[in-house]
Amino acid sequence: MATTIFGHRGCPAHEPENSPAGFRYALTHGAEGIETDLHLTKDGVPVIIHDETLHRTTNGTGQVADYTLAELRQFRLPNGECIPTLADFLQLVGTAPVQLNLECQPPLTKVSGL
């Protein structure tokens, strides 16, 4: 039986969780897969963030679903990056030979911007 090495939320031991830098770190350090979580913005855009709220992983407060993507772009992860969209994430991963485990929180029903 083979074991697959996943970067859980990127590589939070080295970069902020669910950050583009964390995903790049995982990809360049041998991750065979990446697990991450999605939430919808007020305007239906899927963004990469674990919690329903902003306060634990960004400098924002409140619910992700209460903000449009444009409004969310004002908040920063601890390394100064913006919360990535699913489109940003997929562009970053590109054609890398990795498995993706995308958890929709709660299940996505009205998605735009893909």
Side-chain angles (χ1 to χ4, degrees):
M1 177 175 17
T3 299
T4 303
I5 299 171
F6 269 76
H8 185 247
R9 301 182 201 163
C11 191
H14 295 276
E15 296 289 347
E17 69 178 65
N18 292 319
S19 69
F23 297 132
R24 280 191 294 277
Y25 188 96
L27 291 171
T28 60
H29 287 84
E32 299 166 298
I34 295 177
E35 182 281 337
T36 192
D37 304 279
L38 303 170
H39 285 273
L40 286 181
T41 63
K42 185 177 183 177
D43 50 348
V45 179
V47 292
I48 306 292
I49 188 167
H50 180 266
D51 302 348
E52 293 178 357
T53 57
L54 298 164
H55 69 277
R56 185 178 68 83
T57 58
T58 75
N59 63 346
T61 60
Q63 301 279 320
V64 173
D66 290 341
Y67 292 94
T68 65
L69 178 60
E71 293 167 335
L72 277 180
R73 292 289 190 191
Q74 70 182 312
F75 303 124
R76 296 287 180 260
L77 301 170
N79 64 355
E81 293 178 309
C82 292
I83 300 167
T85 64
L86 175 58
D88 296 334
F89 172 75
L90 294 174
Q91 183 176 8
L92 186 147
V93 173
T95 59
V98 294
Q99 295 179 38
L100 300 179
N101 178 0
L102 306 175
E103 293 187 25
C104 302
Q105 308 288 338
L108 305 181
T109 56
K110 296 180 182 177
V111 179
S112 67
L114 291 180

